[in-house]
Amino acid sequence: MTSCRIHITGASGSGTTTLGRAVASALAVPHHDTDDYIWVPTEPPYAELRPAAERLRIKIAMFHPRGGWVVTGSLQGWGDPLIAHFDLVVFITIAKELRLQRLRVREVTRYGAEAVAPGGARHRETEEFVAWAAAYDEADIGTSRTLAKHEAWLSDLPCPVLRLDGAKPLEELTAQVLSSTSRAPRVDG
């Protein structure tokens, strides 16, 4: 079996998880998002970071033995030992305004309109998250997740990098990724 290990990354709200699920389904391989490793499961979610060594240990145990997988999100720094296993990295970009709009819709879907509205239980957290995401394009390389940091990381990868416009239809993006892999998608019939 040919290896098909794909990492899909980009700014928060660019569509990495949505595309990752579609590609993994088409290839019949597992999909996982880095948030599942970065964050300890809590209620409410995204409140406690998992130590970097532990998230890497879990991720390697889950993915390393498999010949095919799709992982989405950002693993720069803490997940760099996985780079040697990538067959393809997909980098999604999208206009800032559309990303932020998607993030606001996602927050409402996750927590409810009342919770994220002014005075709501999650309003402050939502606004802090959106402000963090908004800084992605302009922030310098020293902050956590930025375009500059992504570009520097991408330039050092030993595997092919496919750049996609996240505003395009999901079907088109999926087809572009599939045509860039060495493994054909399964055919249901």
Side-chain angles (χ1 to χ4, degrees), residues 7-11 73-77 80 83 86 88-93 136 141 146-164:
H7 174 49
I8 303 175
T9 193
S74 184
L75 50 68
Q76 294 168 306
D80 284 351
I83 290 172
F86 297 158
L88 175 69
V89 170
V90 178
F91 182 56
I92 303 178
T93 58
Y136 173 84
I141 204 163
T146 68
L147 178 58
K149 197 171 192 177
H150 261 140
E151 290 291 356
W153 187 78
L154 291 167
S155 71
D156 289 335
L157 292 176
C159 65
V161 175
L162 175 64
R163 293 172 179 269
L164 297 177

Side-chain angles (χ1 to χ4, degrees), residues 49-73:
L49 286 170
R50 182 176 275 133
E54 182 181 346
R55 63 180 95 132
L56 182 60
R57 180 189 56 76
I58 294 168
K59 193 165 220 25
I60 287 173
M62 180 65 71
F63 285 101
H64 186 69
R66 294 185 167 93
W69 38 256
V70 177
V71 63
T72 55

Side-chain angles (χ1 to χ4, degrees), residues 10-21:
S12 187
S14 63
T16 61
T17 304
T18 301
L19 178 59
R21 286 183 186 133

